[in-house]
Amino acid sequence: ERIKSYGDIIAAATADEIRSVRPGESIGMRELAVAITLHVAIRVVFSVADADRRTEYTRAVTALMRANTAPLMLVPALRRELGGHGPWARLVRLRDDLDRLLSDDMALRQPDSPAGADMLDVLLSAVDPDATGEPGLAIHDQLRTLLAAGHETTATSMMWALYHIYRDESVRERVAAELAHCRAPAEITALPYLGAVIKEALRLHPPVPIVLRRLKEPLTVGGVACAAGKIVGIALYALHFNPSVWPDPDRFDPDRFLRSRISPFEYAPFGGGYRRCIGAAFASCELAVAIATIMQTLELRMPEREQNRREPRSVARGIAVAPAREITLDVIDRQPVAVTGGGR
């Protein structure tokens, strides 16, 4: 229910991040997308509008994400301190730095006050009668997850969507035509073709390409028996590129999502079941509003050399997979009117 009210924040944050962009420049999609999504995450989680405070959070979250490498996530044996040195010790120090910022903001809130407009208020107002342990530590875990998972995965999806929009002129023209008479974020999130472009980008490039679950009872899939307690995974690339479900699966074709309804057993960029990503609706809203704000504010063009290159591979970047190379767009002009919200 809160997502609609966040549209104005997303539009304002995106406008802030592209305010200084000028014609004749080239902008890197990764740097821009990460800046926008982290700005949005900080504003939505904490309502931090002050630029200096936001910079503190940006530095802390960025440093923590860079230190949280794939080996540390996937190999538990590496998670040990060696006399205060090593990758794990550094990660713990950076986590503690971010936690100090979180604690400072939590101390300014009243736990028994009505939930406000940001996620910190929502968490502080929530009560779990069955919870054990220190409540503050649990909230720190949730806040770190919201800040980390809530921006890097969305940034990756934004990069891929912009890549396909500006690589194919017909796609760009159709999105631009939808946006021509659409300004309010609430209208933007309902645009069918823009929504289809985002869904198709997520099909081709799911930011987290495997969904893991621990089995509560034995399960046999494709003749392979798995015991209770085992961790199994759904490989989203195998699902999203299955030619029996997706004709010509390697082709970027947003119209797939306009021609028919897609089953959650065929398409799962946000996982599935009751553990489906809780931020799925917000991520879709953020992608639509941010892309619309960029397109209605800047006239961009993909350099010819990039258009003629093969599509970049997806490689691991932190907790998500992203284009293996930086994708740049040339700034041709600034448009006179940007997407605006309701005065937030």
Side-chain angles (χ1 to χ4, degrees), residues 2 110-126:
R2 296 174 180 270
Q110 298 298 320
D112 57 350
S113 63
D118 61 37
M119 290 295 102
L120 179 55
D121 281 341
V122 173
L123 288 173
L124 288 174
S125 65

Side-chain angles (χ1 to χ4, degrees), residues 23 29 46 58-59 156 186 193 213 231 276 310 316 334 339:
M29 288 296 93
F46 300 108
T58 299
R59 289 173 177 167
T156 294
Y193 189 69
R213 294 289 185 267
I231 295 177
R276 183 176 184 266
R310 294 185 62 179
R334 289 188 66 91
V339 178

Side-chain angles (χ1 to χ4, degrees), residues 161-182:
L162 289 168
Y163 171 82
H164 286 289
I165 288 171
Y166 286 100
R167 193 185 193 198
D168 188 329
E169 184 63 17
S170 65
V171 173
R172 189 201 65 79
E173 288 179 351
R174 286 181 67 178
V175 174
E178 274 196 332
L179 294 172
H181 304 290
C182 187

Side-chain angles (χ1 to χ4, degrees), residues 61 93 97 111 142 144 161 177 188 193 197 207 216 239-240 254 261 266 284 290 299:
V61 174
R93 286 196 300 272
D97 289 343
Q142 296 288 353
R144 283 197 303 270
I188 291 167
Y193 189 69
V197 167
K216 300 191 71 174
L239 179 65
H240 289 182
R261 291 180 62 86
E266 300 169 333
S284 299
E299 181 183 348

Side-chain angles (χ1 to χ4, degrees), residues 63-248:
L64 181 61
M65 295 299 292
R66 288 175 177 170
N68 193 25
T69 59
L72 286 178
M73 286 190 287
L74 300 175
V75 185
L78 297 177
R79 300 174 202 159
R80 61 180 67 181
E81 292 195 37
L82 303 171
H85 300 286
W88 179 249
R90 180 171 182 271
L91 180 66
V92 171
R93 286 196 300 272
L94 292 171
R95 181 201 64 192
D96 292 343
D97 289 343
L98 176 57
D99 279 356
R100 279 190 283 273
L101 288 174
L102 300 176
S103 294
D104 289 344
D105 277 323
M106 289 167 62
L108 299 176
R109 309 294 178 100
Q110 298 298 320
D112 57 350
S113 63
D118 61 37
M119 290 295 102
L120 179 55
D121 281 341
V122 173
L123 288 173
L124 288 174
S125 65
V127 176
D128 181 359
D130 299 321
T132 60
E134 175 60 44
L137 296 178
I139 291 178
H140 277 96
D141 288 343
Q142 296 288 353
L143 292 173
R144 283 197 303 270
T145 300
L146 286 168
L147 285 172
H151 90 276
E152 193 168 48
T153 51
T154 309
T156 294
S157 300
M158 189 182 303
M159 283 184 267
W160 281 118
L162 289 168
Y163 171 82
H164 286 289
I165 288 171
Y166 286 100
R167 193 185 193 198
D168 188 329
E169 184 63 17
S170 65
V171 173
R172 189 201 65 79
E173 288 179 351
R174 286 181 67 178
V175 174
E178 274 196 332
L179 294 172
H181 304 290
C182 187
R183 297 294 172 189
E187 298 174 328
I188 291 167
T189 57
L191 293 175
Y193 189 69
L194 175 58
V197 167
I198 292 168
K199 290 174 182 175
E200 178 70 340
L202 288 167
R203 181 188 71 82
L204 285 170
H205 315 283
V208 180
I210 187 167
V211 179
L212 299 175
R213 294 289 185 267
R214 186 186 301 276
L215 295 179
K216 300 191 71 174
E217 58 187 45
L219 179 70
T220 299
V221 179
V224 179
C226 302
K230 290 290 186 180
I231 295 177
V232 299
I234 298 171
L236 293 188
Y237 288 128
L239 179 65
H240 289 182
F241 285 78
N242 184 344
S244 67
V245 177
W246 306 96
D248 196 5

